Amino acid sequence: MHEVQPAVVVENVTFLWWIPLLPALGVLFHIFLGRRVGKTAVSVVGPSVVAAAFIVSLVAFIRVWLGPPGLVLQQVLWSWLPVGSLDVRFALQVDALSAVMILVVTGVGFLIHLYSVVYMHDDPGYARYFAYLNLFTVAMLVLVMADNLLLLFVGWEGVGLCSYLLIGFWYDNDANASAGKKAFIVNRVGDAAFLVGIFWLFWSFGPGSHTFSFSEIAERGRQLSPAVVTGVTLLLFVGATGKSAQLPLYVWLPDAMAGPTPVSALIHAATMVTAGVYMIARLHALYELAPISLDVVATVGALTAVFAATIGLVQTDIKKVLAYSTISQLGYMFLAVGVGAFSAGIFHLLTHAFFKALLFLGSGSVIHAMGGEQDIRKMGGLRRYLPVTYATFLVGTLAIAGVPGFAGFFSKDMILARAYAEAPMLWGLALVGAGLTAFYMFRLFFLVFLGECRADAHTRAHLHESPRTMTIPLVVLAVLSVVGGYVGLPEFLAWGDRFSAFLAPAVGGSAHAGGHPHLALEVALMGASVFVALAGIAVAYRFYIQAPQTPQQLAARWRRAYQLLWNKYYVDELYAALFVRPIVQLAHVLWRQFDVAVVDGAVNGAGGVVQETGRWLRRWQTGNVQHYALSLLVGTLLLLGYFLGRG
Amino acid sequence: MTTLAFPDVAWLPLLPLMVIGATALLVLVADLFSEGPDYDALGWLGLIGLIVAAVCAALLWNQSGSTLAGTLVLDRYGLFFTILFAVGSGLTLLLSMNYLETTDIRSGDYYTLLLFSTVGMVLMATSVDLIVIFLGLEVMSIAAYALAGIWRTQVRSNEAALKYFILGAFASGFLLLGIALLFGASGETLLPRIGEVAATGTGEQRLLVTIGAALLLVGFGFKVAAAPFHSWAPDVYEGAPTAVTAFMAAGIKAAAFAAFVRVFVDSLGPLAGDWRGALWILAVLTMTVGNVSALVQRNIKRLLAYSSIAHAGYLLVGMVAGGENGNAAVLFYLAVYTFMTVGAFAVVIALGRRGQPHEDLDDWAGVGLRSPFLGFAMTVFMLSLAGVPPLAGFMGKFYLFSAALEAGYVWLTVIAVVNSLVSVYYYVGVLVKMYMAEGGVEAEATSARPYLFAALVATLAGTFLLGLFPTPWFEIARRSVESLI
């Protein structure tokens, strides 16, 4: 928009490649040695390579932090594509934005690896699990450290593949396998748009030298026509709606909960699903040139925030509630970047990574204790049995609900304040969403931890707190879910918004003249969001503690509305009817048309090879080759017709 | 008494061709003296011949010239393909040496045929005369028909050979008729002169050239397995011995494209307005039919056959784009495709055992976990075929599709991109089987099959090399097409 881009200082360093390399070595270790060296070695190597990457990331972060503003650490590994007009490099970079991201990926990632050591311990695919998890870490690090759009795409595809592999990790269950498939296909739709966007961008740059680096895209973007920039940014955003589960491509994320719970925490809450938000913040210079695209981003974000929250109101699977809440919280992040508050979006990404990872790991602890049960109607009163999980889960719930003092409050408030300044309508939506969030999260909390235990006697007898290796990550994340917010206070408090100041050279926005509302207004807005949060909690308390019969009565009274929410607005059914069935039918028609010869042979397989081949031969004699020759002839005639028609 | 004038022959341009031909004859003779069942020595002989031919071709890189009354030329385009064919056939030889042990193919003729087929391929790529190109095509194809049926005790192999032969003869008929029409119009079979007629001809002459071009398109379309002339490919690929299938997918397709591009760019370039549109349609049809049909396949060879059809479609995209970048992208992609597809077939062979080919995808369940190396190799090849960066397949597609965009074919590019995204589904499907299912077969240790192991290492190296450091190779491809335009 109007602020001056801060000067960028590039410093070439040689240690950045260790950050993705360390987990990559872990992958090789697990694949080639994992089954031979046994579980203990895997348990040590899996988390330690990520811890080592975290330490290197910390070094990078501190250098960016202490260095001059706008410092970018860069390491060019080699020129990937220096041909003609193109000079794409295999280059890693760490600026303020990437520094925050690599800390989240390796830091939260390490805690989740650690948690997995116990959670997955009895799984026969233990080494495989850590291979995938480390591989995911590599891909995610490449995504956030890439210095150009193509390399970002490498990571983008990589995390998608790992997510797919991990959702279907317990493949012997059909539902899990098809959940993985669904995630994969839905993401394909988004990625198609994303790729077309990249190509269009490349194409529109025209002749001249291209590195595709983000700084060059920012530079050259200014010379493009607004229509092109709008088209490109919208296409890239469609990619983001796939990866980050926004309307209309969010449908895969709830099903993705079929994967192991630590995977849900790492990939489907803390890191991968935020890739879309990161991508827009990374390309903020391009998006700022396309106000229409930003409006679309903000609107989709706000709508998703409310839409997913309403579905979350009635879900009864503990992980599904958290999944819809993730979709909803991602909506807030998109709302933030859509109204130009890029640092606020990343701030919420950071705090969300803490409290949502905490909530997922907490739910894993609950599921672990309940012997695999995920239905919150069969829980209750777990406070007594799982004290650590209870306390940390409460912190996470307070943080996501936006109760003052907790991390989520500060980041959500920053988004709401900016949304009010830019688009009051969307602020209204976001406020409603905040109230709904407080309600459904406390509904979950009350149903799981308070009240009477509704589990059967057998389950109750086995209730136990999880071991240390699982509770330590919970405690660390709980602490972060509180203190994490204090890096970005409102401007009028204590040290103010250090987070945005730190990010400003990378994503701009802090020096926004007039961007900050009046003090009185800001306090009033804050009051409004505190009010809806408390109201949401109060209603949940009334419904699920004081008068537990209320929800049923309401559901009976508003039957239609309840059914609509319970069935998630029938979106899955709609997509099945509109897209899935026609495509499956088309594939079958094509198959039969072009493939008559083998249908039987392939299906019947092993038994009676001779008989089978005999039948083949007979088929062949009765006309297969003639059939083929005929298709050849028809093709020839059509081609001749085409040529002569032109001539 | 009339003396038959012996044409003035420059021998240098013929060097690689003669080396391969001589090797073929040598193997044929040596076969007489070798007592089976171990034919490794013949394989080694062939391998050495191919390496020598490739080295000769590389040494001739800066030379140019023509021979045999101008019908054969020495240019970088021809040399590029000569080296590519030597590599492709060499890899096939490596595959075959271990593969033949698991089959009933007890014949040194196998190697002879493979080498003769390669001779035909080199002829196709180095000739600028339609008759010689046709000759090369027939030498290549007839040897290939025989190879497809060389597993005589297998009914499937026989059937594949017969089908391939009948339909191939049918297609050759069209090609020959096209050549005849072009000759009728111009009185020439040399490409440059036909080009002149194509550029200036009017009336009846122009009509003959147009119909001739359409018929050539059919003939080449058949050889590269472009829809709707692809129907033979799945059956033949599935029925032929796996090593031969690899040879057909990589070598024969590349040779057909070599002649295809040279004929259409060199002599029929002036008619580009006519054939570009037709090629556009063929490209879209080929990609779509290949990818969509591959989605429902359960047999790995059939799946790779449809994948090969789809890849012919991507290559046609590069031809439609044309120009230096488009043609260079086609050459680069053919090199990339050789490595990744031969590699994929090598894994198929590695999984098979005597009497148990293990071609059903269900046999592949859990292989990735039990044999980490094979799993890793297949993962690389599948992801590369799918076009996932940073592997060679991605770079290949990147060059092809950006050339199409630069030439202004936006819709074609979009369709191609969507197609390659669809393809990810079935390629990853193979990986899912390998890593996320149980109950398949146990693969024999690759260390017990040294040749196969060498082929796998070589194809893996190629797939990484062309993906991570594509520039020098693309530069070579670009230099190779300079002589065309």
Side-chain angles (χ1 to χ4, degrees), chain B residues 13-34:
Chain B
L14 293 172
L15 192 58
L17 190 67
M18 289 192 307
V19 170
I20 303 175
T23 312
L25 292 172
L26 206 60
V27 170
L28 186 63
V29 174
D31 186 24
L32 289 177
F33 299 100
S34 73

PDB file of all heavy atoms in Angstrom, chain B residues 13-34:
ATOM      1  N   PRO B  13      30.374 -39.833 -40.596  1.00  0.00           N
ATOM      2  CA  PRO B  13      29.024 -39.737 -40.023  1.00  0.00           C
ATOM      3  C   PRO B  13      28.408 -41.108 -39.729  1.00  0.00           C
ATOM      4  O   PRO B  13      27.478 -41.212 -38.931  1.00  0.00           O
ATOM      5  CB  PRO B  13      28.228 -39.024 -41.115  1.00  0.00           C
ATOM      6  CG  PRO B  13      29.233 -38.313 -41.938  1.00  0.00           C
ATOM      7  CD  PRO B  13      30.469 -39.176 -41.894  1.00  0.00           C
ATOM      8  N   LEU B  14      28.941 -42.125 -40.389  1.00  0.00           N
ATOM      9  CA  LEU B  14      28.344 -43.456 -40.223  1.00  0.00           C
ATOM     10  C   LEU B  14      28.925 -44.206 -39.037  1.00  0.00           C
ATOM     11  O   LEU B  14      28.460 -45.293 -38.706  1.00  0.00           O
ATOM     12  CB  LEU B  14      28.583 -44.286 -41.488  1.00  0.00           C
ATOM     13  CG  LEU B  14      27.855 -43.796 -42.727  1.00  0.00           C
ATOM     14  CD1 LEU B  14      28.318 -44.586 -43.952  1.00  0.00           C
ATOM     15  CD2 LEU B  14      26.359 -43.949 -42.549  1.00  0.00           C
ATOM     16  N   LEU B  15      29.948 -43.607 -38.413  1.00  0.00           N
ATOM     17  CA  LEU B  15      30.715 -44.340 -37.423  1.00  0.00           C
ATOM     18  C   LEU B  15      29.865 -44.979 -36.310  1.00  0.00           C
ATOM     19  O   LEU B  15      29.922 -46.212 -36.128  1.00  0.00           O
ATOM     20  CB  LEU B  15      31.806 -43.430 -36.848  1.00  0.00           C
ATOM     21  CG  LEU B  15      32.863 -44.134 -36.010  1.00  0.00           C
ATOM     22  CD1 LEU B  15      33.560 -45.214 -36.825  1.00  0.00           C
ATOM     23  CD2 LEU B  15      33.892 -43.123 -35.500  1.00  0.00           C
ATOM     24  N   PRO B  16      29.059 -44.206 -35.579  1.00  0.00           N
ATOM     25  CA  PRO B  16      28.291 -44.832 -34.486  1.00  0.00           C
ATOM     26  C   PRO B  16      27.373 -45.927 -35.004  1.00  0.00           C
ATOM     27  O   PRO B  16      27.254 -46.998 -34.404  1.00  0.00           O
ATOM     28  CB  PRO B  16      27.470 -43.675 -33.898  1.00  0.00           C
ATOM     29  CG  PRO B  16      28.159 -42.439 -34.341  1.00  0.00           C
ATOM     30  CD  PRO B  16      28.796 -42.757 -35.662  1.00  0.00           C
ATOM     31  N   LEU B  17      26.740 -45.642 -36.141  1.00  0.00           N
ATOM     32  CA  LEU B  17      25.822 -46.608 -36.736  1.00  0.00           C
ATOM     33  C   LEU B  17      26.539 -47.919 -37.027  1.00  0.00           C
ATOM     34  O   LEU B  17      26.065 -49.015 -36.719  1.00  0.00           O
ATOM     35  CB  LEU B  17      25.271 -46.009 -38.034  1.00  0.00           C
ATOM     36  CG  LEU B  17      24.127 -46.742 -38.693  1.00  0.00           C
ATOM     37  CD1 LEU B  17      22.892 -46.645 -37.818  1.00  0.00           C
ATOM     38  CD2 LEU B  17      23.844 -46.143 -40.058  1.00  0.00           C
ATOM     39  N   MET B  18      27.755 -47.781 -37.617  1.00  0.00           N
ATOM     40  CA  MET B  18      28.493 -48.983 -37.997  1.00  0.00           C
ATOM     41  C   MET B  18      28.968 -49.741 -36.767  1.00  0.00           C
ATOM     42  O   MET B  18      28.995 -50.970 -36.756  1.00  0.00           O
ATOM     43  CB  MET B  18      29.680 -48.604 -38.878  1.00  0.00           C
ATOM     44  CG  MET B  18      29.230 -48.154 -40.254  1.00  0.00           C
ATOM     45  SD  MET B  18      30.592 -48.018 -41.430  1.00  0.00           S
ATOM     46  CE  MET B  18      31.727 -46.985 -40.564  1.00  0.00           C
ATOM     47  N   VAL B  19      29.335 -49.000 -35.725  1.00  0.00           N
ATOM     48  CA  VAL B  19      29.786 -49.679 -34.509  1.00  0.00           C
ATOM     49  C   VAL B  19      28.658 -50.547 -33.959  1.00  0.00           C
ATOM     50  O   VAL B  19      28.857 -51.725 -33.625  1.00  0.00           O
ATOM     51  CB  VAL B  19      30.261 -48.659 -33.443  1.00  0.00           C
ATOM     52  CG1 VAL B  19      30.494 -49.353 -32.113  1.00  0.00           C
ATOM     53  CG2 VAL B  19      31.519 -47.961 -33.916  1.00  0.00           C
ATOM     54  N   ILE B  20      27.469 -49.973 -33.880  1.00  0.00           N
ATOM     55  CA  ILE B  20      26.348 -50.747 -33.321  1.00  0.00           C
ATOM     56  C   ILE B  20      26.009 -51.920 -34.232  1.00  0.00           C
ATOM     57  O   ILE B  20      25.803 -53.058 -33.791  1.00  0.00           O
ATOM     58  CB  ILE B  20      25.115 -49.853 -33.105  1.00  0.00           C
ATOM     59  CG1 ILE B  20      25.471 -48.683 -32.186  1.00  0.00           C
ATOM     60  CG2 ILE B  20      23.968 -50.660 -32.496  1.00  0.00           C
ATOM     61  CD1 ILE B  20      24.366 -47.693 -32.007  1.00  0.00           C
ATOM     62  N   GLY B  21      26.000 -51.644 -35.560  1.00  0.00           N
ATOM     63  CA  GLY B  21      25.695 -52.716 -36.502  1.00  0.00           C
ATOM     64  C   GLY B  21      26.712 -53.842 -36.414  1.00  0.00           C
ATOM     65  O   GLY B  21      26.361 -55.033 -36.377  1.00  0.00           O
ATOM     66  N   ALA B  22      27.986 -53.461 -36.337  1.00  0.00           N
ATOM     67  CA  ALA B  22      29.032 -54.470 -36.267  1.00  0.00           C
ATOM     68  C   ALA B  22      28.903 -55.279 -34.981  1.00  0.00           C
ATOM     69  O   ALA B  22      29.076 -56.508 -34.975  1.00  0.00           O
ATOM     70  CB  ALA B  22      30.398 -53.792 -36.327  1.00  0.00           C
ATOM     71  N   THR B  23      28.584 -54.580 -33.891  1.00  0.00           N
ATOM     72  CA  THR B  23      28.401 -55.286 -32.624  1.00  0.00           C
ATOM     73  C   THR B  23      27.277 -56.304 -32.750  1.00  0.00           C
ATOM     74  O   THR B  23      27.383 -57.442 -32.267  1.00  0.00           O
ATOM     75  CB  THR B  23      28.069 -54.290 -31.496  1.00  0.00           C
ATOM     76  OG1 THR B  23      28.984 -53.214 -31.554  1.00  0.00           O
ATOM     77  CG2 THR B  23      28.142 -54.964 -30.147  1.00  0.00           C
ATOM     78  N   ALA B  24      26.202 -55.879 -33.420  1.00  0.00           N
ATOM     79  CA  ALA B  24      25.073 -56.785 -33.576  1.00  0.00           C
ATOM     80  C   ALA B  24      25.500 -58.044 -34.320  1.00  0.00           C
ATOM     81  O   ALA B  24      25.164 -59.167 -33.912  1.00  0.00           O
ATOM     82  CB  ALA B  24      23.938 -56.085 -34.315  1.00  0.00           C
ATOM     83  N   LEU B  25      26.255 -57.854 -35.390  1.00  0.00           N
ATOM     84  CA  LEU B  25      26.705 -59.014 -36.167  1.00  0.00           C
ATOM     85  C   LEU B  25      27.650 -59.890 -35.352  1.00  0.00           C
ATOM     86  O   LEU B  25      27.574 -61.118 -35.383  1.00  0.00           O
ATOM     87  CB  LEU B  25      27.397 -58.540 -37.446  1.00  0.00           C
ATOM     88  CG  LEU B  25      26.454 -57.874 -38.453  1.00  0.00           C
ATOM     89  CD1 LEU B  25      27.231 -57.246 -39.597  1.00  0.00           C
ATOM     90  CD2 LEU B  25      25.445 -58.901 -38.976  1.00  0.00           C
ATOM     91  N   LEU B  26      28.515 -59.210 -34.604  1.00  0.00           N
ATOM     92  CA  LEU B  26      29.475 -59.918 -33.775  1.00  0.00           C
ATOM     93  C   LEU B  26      28.741 -60.782 -32.757  1.00  0.00           C
ATOM     94  O   LEU B  26      29.070 -61.960 -32.528  1.00  0.00           O
ATOM     95  CB  LEU B  26      30.354 -58.893 -33.058  1.00  0.00           C
ATOM     96  CG  LEU B  26      31.748 -59.344 -32.638  1.00  0.00           C
ATOM     97  CD1 LEU B  26      32.548 -59.762 -33.864  1.00  0.00           C
ATOM     98  CD2 LEU B  26      32.446 -58.203 -31.900  1.00  0.00           C
ATOM     99  N   VAL B  27      27.721 -60.222 -32.135  1.00  0.00           N
ATOM    100  CA  VAL B  27      26.941 -60.966 -31.138  1.00  0.00           C
ATOM    101  C   VAL B  27      26.255 -62.150 -31.798  1.00  0.00           C
ATOM    102  O   VAL B  27      26.214 -63.260 -31.258  1.00  0.00           O
ATOM    103  CB  VAL B  27      25.908 -60.048 -30.457  1.00  0.00           C
ATOM    104  CG1 VAL B  27      24.935 -60.853 -29.605  1.00  0.00           C
ATOM    105  CG2 VAL B  27      26.610 -59.002 -29.612  1.00  0.00           C
ATOM    106  N   LEU B  28      25.770 -61.918 -33.033  1.00  0.00           N
ATOM    107  CA  LEU B  28      25.095 -62.983 -33.763  1.00  0.00           C
ATOM    108  C   LEU B  28      26.053 -64.152 -33.996  1.00  0.00           C
ATOM    109  O   LEU B  28      25.707 -65.326 -33.796  1.00  0.00           O
ATOM    110  CB  LEU B  28      24.596 -62.431 -35.104  1.00  0.00           C
ATOM    111  CG  LEU B  28      23.736 -63.349 -35.956  1.00  0.00           C
ATOM    112  CD1 LEU B  28      22.442 -63.674 -35.225  1.00  0.00           C
ATOM    113  CD2 LEU B  28      23.437 -62.706 -37.290  1.00  0.00           C
ATOM    114  N   VAL B  29      27.281 -63.794 -34.390  1.00  0.00           N
ATOM    115  CA  VAL B  29      28.266 -64.844 -34.660  1.00  0.00           C
ATOM    116  C   VAL B  29      28.699 -65.513 -33.358  1.00  0.00           C
ATOM    117  O   VAL B  29      28.780 -66.745 -33.261  1.00  0.00           O
ATOM    118  CB  VAL B  29      29.483 -64.256 -35.410  1.00  0.00           C
ATOM    119  CG1 VAL B  29      30.565 -65.316 -35.569  1.00  0.00           C
ATOM    120  CG2 VAL B  29      29.041 -63.723 -36.765  1.00  0.00           C
ATOM    121  N   ALA B  30      28.957 -64.679 -32.359  1.00  0.00           N
ATOM    122  CA  ALA B  30      29.426 -65.223 -31.082  1.00  0.00           C
ATOM    123  C   ALA B  30      28.402 -66.177 -30.496  1.00  0.00           C
ATOM    124  O   ALA B  30      28.742 -67.159 -29.828  1.00  0.00           O
ATOM    125  CB  ALA B  30      29.708 -64.086 -30.104  1.00  0.00           C
ATOM    126  N   ASP B  31      27.126 -65.901 -30.779  1.00  0.00           N
ATOM    127  CA  ASP B  31      26.049 -66.755 -30.271  1.00  0.00           C
ATOM    128  C   ASP B  31      26.216 -68.195 -30.763  1.00  0.00           C
ATOM    129  O   ASP B  31      25.892 -69.142 -30.064  1.00  0.00           O
ATOM    130  CB  ASP B  31      24.707 -66.164 -30.714  1.00  0.00           C
ATOM    131  CG  ASP B  31      23.551 -66.913 -30.101  1.00  0.00           C
ATOM    132  OD1 ASP B  31      23.757 -67.528 -29.038  1.00  0.00           O
ATOM    133  OD2 ASP B  31      22.458 -66.876 -30.678  1.00  0.00           O
ATOM    134  N   LEU B  32      26.728 -68.323 -32.000  1.00  0.00           N
ATOM    135  CA  LEU B  32      26.922 -69.666 -32.564  1.00  0.00           C
ATOM    136  C   LEU B  32      27.882 -70.479 -31.718  1.00  0.00           C
ATOM    137  O   LEU B  32      27.770 -71.681 -31.603  1.00  0.00           O
ATOM    138  CB  LEU B  32      27.472 -69.552 -33.981  1.00  0.00           C
ATOM    139  CG  LEU B  32      26.511 -69.039 -35.045  1.00  0.00           C
ATOM    140  CD1 LEU B  32      27.228 -68.910 -36.369  1.00  0.00           C
ATOM    141  CD2 LEU B  32      25.324 -69.975 -35.155  1.00  0.00           C
ATOM    142  N   PHE B  33      28.847 -69.754 -31.140  1.00  0.00           N
ATOM    143  CA  PHE B  33      29.897 -70.468 -30.414  1.00  0.00           C
ATOM    144  C   PHE B  33      29.659 -70.538 -28.917  1.00  0.00           C
ATOM    145  O   PHE B  33      30.404 -71.157 -28.202  1.00  0.00           O
ATOM    146  CB  PHE B  33      31.251 -69.802 -30.682  1.00  0.00           C
ATOM    147  CG  PHE B  33      31.612 -69.830 -32.124  1.00  0.00           C
ATOM    148  CD1 PHE B  33      31.435 -68.718 -32.931  1.00  0.00           C
ATOM    149  CD2 PHE B  33      32.114 -70.999 -32.700  1.00  0.00           C
ATOM    150  CE1 PHE B  33      31.742 -68.758 -34.273  1.00  0.00           C
ATOM    151  CE2 PHE B  33      32.431 -71.038 -34.042  1.00  0.00           C
ATOM    152  CZ  PHE B  33      32.249 -69.926 -34.846  1.00  0.00           C
ATOM    153  N   SER B  34      28.658 -69.853 -28.445  1.00  0.00           N
ATOM    154  CA  SER B  34      28.457 -69.876 -26.997  1.00  0.00           C
ATOM    155  C   SER B  34      27.452 -70.968 -26.656  1.00  0.00           C
ATOM    156  O   SER B  34      26.427 -71.129 -27.308  1.00  0.00           O
ATOM    157  CB  SER B  34      27.942 -68.511 -26.506  1.00  0.00           C
ATOM    158  OG  SER B  34      26.605 -68.344 -26.888  1.00  0.00           O
TER     159      SER B  34
END
